[in-house]
Amino acid sequence: QVQLVESGGGLVQPGGSLRLSCAASRIGFSIYNMGWYRQAPGKQRELVATLTTYGITTYLDSVKGRFTISRDNAKNTLYLQMNNLKPEDTAVYYCNANRTNRIGVRYEYWGQGTQVTVSS
């Protein structure tokens, strides 16, 4: 089983930057598709960014050009670089890993979340 631990959140002023990290406990990290989600108070969870095993990325429209998702397979770590942060980016951010085996069984794992607060 994969254990995911997020870190790097905190309090930042509008226009500032943060880099979130998601460390995986298990080798074989490179075979998982990865993603970052977020949930703000009183709002639905939303998908922020995804990164497949082939390196294909997708982004929520509101973060395009500001956020970058990446991975370091040698370190079993996923990153989310967040630049030009806005108050509306305030949320708990969650790391996700998933894969489907040869017979169609899906495996999915979640981190505990890290708080990002953007405020002046």
Side-chain angles (χ1 to χ4, degrees):
Q1 182 168 291
V2 176
Q3 182 179 6
L4 304 174
V5 180
E6 300 98 333
S7 62
L11 176 64
V12 65
Q13 293 187 351
S17 297
L18 287 172
R19 188 179 74 163
L20 305 184
S21 298
C22 172
S25 64
R26 188 181 177 95
I27 61 172
F29 176 76
S30 64
I31 70 174
Y32 289 88
N33 300 299
M34 305 295 297
W36 287 98
Y37 292 75
R38 69 185 183 188
Q39 187 166 23
K43 296 184 178 181
Q44 293 286 103
R45 183 187 68 182
E46 61 184 353
L47 180 61
V48 177
T50 63
L51 176 59
T52 72
T53 58
Y54 294 98
I56 304 299
T57 60
T58 64
Y59 293 94
L60 182 68
D61 284 345
S62 62
V63 310
K64 288 180 179 177
R66 300 189 297 119
F67 290 11
T68 302
I69 187 172
S70 63
R71 67 199 299 166
D72 186 335
N73 290 333
K75 297 181 179 179
N76 286 352
T77 302
L78 179 75
Y79 302 99
L80 184 67
Q81 179 66 46
M82 304 185 295
N83 298 325
N84 191 24
L85 284 160
K86 303 176 180 180
E88 53 263 42
D89 295 319
T90 296
V92 177
Y93 284 72
Y94 298 91
C95 178
N96 171 271
N98 68 88
R99 65 179 292 265
T100 302
N101 73 9
R102 295 178 184 179
I103 59 173
V105 178
R106 183 176 176 87
Y107 299 85
E108 189 166 42
Y109 306 94
W110 293 90
Q112 83 292 338
T114 185
Q115 177 71 49
V116 172
T117 302
V118 185
S119 177
S120 60

